[in-house]
Amino acid sequence: MLNEQPRIAEPSSPGYVIKNQLQPADEAIHSWYRFVLGYPPHLVREYLKTLHADPDRDWIFDPFCGTATTPVEARLGGFSTLSADANPISTLAARVKLLWDIDLDEVQSKLDDVLDVATTCLRHVGLTPLPDVDCQLALFSHQLLNREVQDTKVTADDFDPNALLSPKTAALIPSGFISPKPLIRVLALRFSIQRVVYQQDIRDFMALALANVIVTTAGNVGFGPEVYRLPPRDDADVLGAFADTVTRMISDLHAVFAKQSLPFPPAHVFKNDARTLSSLDGFPPIGIVITSPPYPNEKDYTRSTRLESVLLGLITTKQDLRALKSSLLRSNTRNVFVGDDDDMFIKDVPSVIRVAEEIEQRRLQLCKTSGFERLYHRVTRLYFGGMYRHLAALLPRLRPGARCAYVVGDQMSYFRVHIRTAHLLADVAIKAGYEVEGIELWRTRRSTTTGEDLEENVLILRRPTTL
């Protein structure tokens, strides 16, 4: 068991932010759509070297791929990649960011058609292509104003915002996350993409561009790192931002094509529960894993991506949302269900049991009785039990000697009890059959609960050469 005292560095919140920022050279592809909590591409490059990854030998796997930082950076380095995530917005982002054989001339042609139809739809419901406010115009705004709308087989009479987003579906969006006019503009683009674009790869490409615009231009959302509501904006130049984003994505891929040799390494993306990894059946053994699973805290990861997931039609009902939460690692009280039993797998891991019991004892001392607070000790057990299931499912899919880097952070969200995630996960990994090579400090970050600086570490694991 790894029980040494935690190594908390000197306060360095500005350093934490800087270390997590995209470097200018990394913005191509990575910036198309990115979680604020994601790690930067240079971490992947660093650990591909640290783990002695060999593109002639090793498939790179990210089982919690998020917005595809690991597979994109690995593929840029010549590696074959496998990516999985249970969240549909994540698998969309990964598919599109790794879609390097797309016909870019056709994307450009379809962009013009999508803008034409969206413009017609907006005029049909009484909105001009550009908002009637004093705002910074996007690159293509004047073209939108002056465009002669082309004849299309799609008529504006077919555009019904209420049909695209029913009241029950709209109720899934947190209150105030988007204002009425930008919402209609987003729906006009979604309608146009669905009606004009028939090729699935180009449709996905434009859907991811629209996801970017929803978060950066249309919505009233901010991240710091929790998602929160900004003051409402009356309107926004959604069509101009969309045109700008798609064109930037096309330009980024042209730059990638100029540097990469053909054929591109294979890249496969799956929607999969990380605790089962059933999608890996039939693939070659994995040589390297670089990933960052959720941490045990009160961040509801489905809420952070709820706006774009609903507006793109990836989540349409409460049942969809429940199914998504049930397929995720239990890392917060909002995705704990009555029948969950992942905790049974770590009942013989003393370090995990001790911290869970400490959380429950602190709750009783503080006389905290809310439903969520009563679940804090349980979600801690479920989290590490789920990670045991994940590691156990992964082990036989690794080649002998394969190495894994898990980026995980300490937490003090539950009554200020210190959850040393990397150290506890090391104990779980030993139970699952791994060798622990070490725990490396990646950076420190300021706890929003206590104001203290906490560690974010990289846990290095190795599959033994013999099992």
Side-chain angles (χ1 to χ4, degrees), residues 177-373:
F177 269 30
I178 190 167
S179 302
K181 289 180 182 177
L183 172 60
I184 293 176
R185 297 183 187 281
V186 167
L187 294 176
L189 279 170
R190 175 182 158 189
F191 172 85
S192 302
I193 293 168
Q194 292 174 342
R195 293 301 185 93
V196 170
V197 182
Y198 301 105
Q199 304 96 313
Q200 189 61 51
D201 57 350
I202 298 178
R203 184 178 289 191
D204 287 346
F205 192 89
M206 292 191 175
L208 188 66
L210 185 53
N212 178 305
V213 171
I214 289 168
V215 174
T216 62
T217 303
N220 306 317
V221 293
F223 301 89
E226 304 285 355
V227 62
Y228 62 91
R229 185 174 63 200
L230 294 171
R233 64 184 84 196
D234 178 66
D235 211 342
D237 184 9
V238 173
L239 266 64
F242 175 76
D244 190 15
T245 301
V246 172
T247 302
R248 175 167 55 86
M249 291 166 68
I250 292 172
S251 176
D252 284 350
L253 283 183
H254 278 305
V256 167
F257 297 164
K259 296 179 181 178
Q260 297 292 313
S261 13
L262 294 172
F264 299 129
H268 303 276
V269 180
F270 313 103
K271 186 176 183 294
N272 205 180
D273 186 328
R275 296 168 296 175
T276 63
L277 299 179
S278 57
S279 295
L280 294 182
D281 295 345
F283 281 94
I286 294 159
I288 299 291
V289 175
I290 301 175
T291 192
S292 182
Y295 311 154
N297 57 38
E298 282 306 272
K299 290 184 177 68
D300 181 353
Y301 293 92
T302 68
R303 181 179 171 87
S304 299
T305 59
R306 187 81 55 80
L307 180 62
E308 57 268 40
S309 296
V310 172
L311 293 185
L312 292 178
L314 301 176
I315 298 173
T316 60
T317 65
K318 287 184 178 180
Q319 290 73 25
D320 290 344
L321 183 58
R322 179 182 175 86
L324 170 56
K325 289 186 174 186
S326 69
S327 67
L328 297 174
L329 191 70
R330 304 298 188 259
S331 63
N332 67 86
T333 58
R334 289 161 181 79
N335 74 330
V336 171
F337 299 91
V338 173
D340 287 342
D341 60 359
D342 286 353
D343 51 340
M344 66 182 288
F345 296 100
I346 49 81
K347 60 185 179 181
D348 57 349
V349 181
S351 56
V352 174
I353 300 303
R354 280 197 300 269
V355 75
E357 290 176 347
E358 183 181 354
I359 291 169
E360 178 63 1
Q361 290 169 5
R362 188 73 58 83
R363 181 189 73 82
L364 295 172
Q365 291 169 0
L366 297 172
C367 300
K368 298 293 186 179
T369 60
S370 77
F372 289 131
E373 290 166 333

Side-chain angles (χ1 to χ4, degrees), residues 422-433:
H423 294 77
L424 297 174
L425 191 56
D427 291 343
V428 172
I430 291 170
K431 171 180 166 62

